[in-house]
Amino acid sequence: MVEKVRIREELLKYLLELARSFYPNEFAGFLREKDGIFEEVLIAPAGHFGRTSVFFNAWMLPLDESVRGTVHSHPDSVCLPSRQDLWFFSKFGGVHLILCYPFTPSDVKAFLSSGETVEIEIVP
């Protein structure tokens, strides 16, 4: 079982900037892992980025075994997964980051597919 997720500081800053730039809409992406550390994001391919949801065609995703998690923003300050989030998590496995308004490092939470929280370690 995953006890904590490790993410590059540079990637975390970039994700927070994405969340701010998409605000007041949500954004979603897929996290690539290298040597146990999330290092890159793939933005969800052409879809709808709305105030309360993101829709995209999962068939448009590349086959990429380095994708080990997802990330999406909540344009409100509720940093807990919704029922829809838990459904989405169950389809993609791995670790899932939620970035909540106002999009600072303390507004980022990590979850397993079950909705259980996971500690985040920021790696320089």
Side-chain angles (χ1 to χ4, degrees), residues 13-120:
K13 288 179 182 178
Y14 178 66
L15 294 172
L16 292 167
E17 275 300 311
L18 280 174
R20 287 184 208 105
S21 69
F22 273 82
Y23 182 83
N25 294 326
E26 291 191 12
F27 90 93
F30 297 86
L31 297 169
R32 283 184 169 153
E33 182 182 79
K34 182 178 179 187
D35 299 325
I37 302 170
F38 286 128
E39 301 219 0
E40 294 180 342
V41 63
L42 295 171
I43 302 302
H48 167 76
F49 299 90
R51 289 181 186 240
T52 60
S53 61
V54 173
F55 298 102
F56 60 90
N57 184 344
W59 292 103
M60 301 283 293
L61 294 171
L63 293 175
D64 187 339
E65 292 190 20
S66 68
V67 172
R68 298 275 194 259
T70 69
V71 59
H72 76 279
S73 63
H74 280 186
D76 57 26
S77 59
V78 178
C79 222
L80 295 171
S82 66
R83 280 185 302 147
Q84 293 87 354
D85 291 339
L86 292 172
W87 178 87
F88 177 76
F89 294 173
S90 74
K91 302 300 177 204
F92 289 96
V95 175
H96 310 276
L97 300 183
I98 297 178
L99 291 67
C100 301
Y101 183 84
F103 311 119
T104 69
S106 63
D107 301 308
V108 179
K109 304 292 182 215
F111 301 91
L112 300 177
S113 294
S114 64
E116 181 182 345
T117 58
V118 179
E119 180 184 345
I120 299 172

